[in-house]
Every structure is written in structure tokens, then in C-alpha cells.
Amino acid sequence: MMINSMSAIMRKLTASVFQKPWLLYAAFVLLIIALKWPFIALPPVWDEAFSIFPSADFLVQNNFDYLLLLAQPGYSEGGPTAHALSLLTLLTAFILKITGGGKPAWVILHLLQWLMMAGIGCMLTRIYSTLFEKIPALLLSVATLCYPLMLAQAGYMYIEVPLLFFTVLAFYSYLHNRIWICSLFLIAA
């Protein structure tokens, strides 16, 4: 009897989440925040520090002079040109410029990563729900976001999260026969 009532509650909750997309997104945002909160102000470390940040910092220090940036030594020679033309590099440079860098920049950049991760969770849930029933689709999305590799990506400011976000968004658009939008998202990825 109790299992039946729990099952009914789970079905109602899932139906509510699927009827209100903002509720599904909010649930994924809360999940990511609960799992990654200690990382909110962590500065870039390891390979994330050497991917978009040298180019972004160079752009800030040189008034967004892309020609000067592209004239610098390449990444393999210790230059700041890795991901120089990435949209994420430009966004990061703007955030560094506006905030002056440091803790405010890291908080904003982490929050953007987490919002994209929540978007990935929502889109995966919608995609999975075309293949499975709603509850398994939702649980599979949660499992995907809680997979250690995904959690590691969410805790840092790697370029893989925006790449996955725009790729999943493109695939979701493709499934809804929005080919032009799909193409734009693939270019953004």
C-alpha cells in the first residue's frame, strides 16, 4: 500500500515537473548548487587556468585587441593563444573586465557553468523522455549530471561544459526539426 502511494506521489511530482519547464530547470540548478557549492569562488586551476584565461586576460590587458593577440606565440610556445577565438574566451574577458577579476569573476563564471549544466539536465530529460517514460528519463538525466566526470566539469570553468551545452541544445533542436537553429548552436559549440 505504501509503495503504491509513493509511486503515485512520484508520478504526480514528475508530471508537475514536466508540465512546468522552469520547475525542472530550478530542480537541476538546486542539484548542481548542492553538489558544487564549495567551488563557487575557486579561481582557475590546472588546465582550466591555461585554456581560455590567458587569452581572456590578454584581451583585457590590451583593450580587446584580437590582432595583437593572434600575433602572439602559439600555445605550444607558451603564448596566450589557446582558444583565442572562442566565444567563451570573449565572455570571460568581458566578465574579467567588468568585475576586475578575482572572487566576483570566479563566482559569475561558476554560476554560468552551473546554469548551463542545469540546462543540459533539462534538455537531456526532454530527449530521454522521447525514448523512455518520464520518471526513468528524469532519473537518467540526474545520473548523467551526477556522473563523476560531469561533476568534475561542473566544478571548474572548463570549456567542455559550454561545448556540451550547445551540442545538446543543437541535438534537441534537430529532434524538433529546427535545422537552422541546430546549425547555429553547432557553430556556437
Side-chain angles (χ1 to χ4, degrees):
M1 184 72 137
M2 184 170 175
I3 292 175
N4 287 339
S5 65
M6 290 293 286
S7 179
I9 291 170
M10 190 67 164
R11 278 194 303 274
K12 286 180 183 177
L13 180 62
T14 305
S16 176
V17 164
F18 273 83
Q19 290 171 354
K20 300 174 183 168
W22 65 268
L23 193 56
L24 180 63
Y25 187 75
F28 278 115
V29 169
L30 291 175
L31 173 68
I32 298 298
I33 288 174
L35 294 172
K36 301 313 285 183
W37 183 253
F39 293 85
I40 189 76
L42 184 70
V45 295
W46 304 316
D47 54 336
E48 75 176 312
F50 296 103
S51 64
I52 60 171
F53 288 95
S55 293
D57 189 50
F58 187 93
L59 288 171
V60 170
Q61 299 302 319
N62 294 283
N63 294 320
F64 293 83
D65 187 342
Y66 272 97
L67 293 176
L68 183 59
L69 172 60
L70 295 174
Q72 300 305 303
Y75 177 76
S76 62
E77 299 166 329
T81 57
H83 310 295
L85 299 176
S86 164
L87 290 175
L88 186 59
T89 300
L90 180 60
L91 176 65
T92 302
F94 279 132
I95 291 170
L96 292 173
K97 180 77 171 175
I98 292 167
T99 63
K103 193 176 275 192
W106 313 146
V107 169
I108 291 169
L109 290 167
H110 280 292
L111 287 174
L112 288 173
Q113 292 277 98
W114 297 353
L115 293 173
M116 284 186 272
M117 286 294 287
I120 292 166
C122 287
M123 289 179 285
L124 286 178
T125 302
R126 298 290 183 196
I127 292 168
Y128 292 153
S129 69
T130 64
L131 304 170
F132 309 108
E133 291 184 23
K134 290 178 180 179
I135 292 174
L138 179 61
L139 294 175
L140 188 55
S141 296
V142 170
T144 301
L145 290 189
C146 290
Y147 188 73
L149 180 61
M150 293 292 285
L151 283 178
Q153 295 295 319
Y156 299 101
M157 295 171 277
Y158 289 123
I159 62 169
E160 286 84 352
V161 171
L163 173 67
L164 181 60
F165 174 77
F166 285 109
T167 302
V168 173
L169 195 54
F171 184 65
Y172 182 78
S173 299
Y174 176 79
L175 289 176
H176 289 87
N177 208 22
R178 299 179 191 142
I179 304 305
W180 286 105
I181 299 293
C182 170
S183 300
L184 292 175
F185 289 137
L186 286 174
I187 290 169

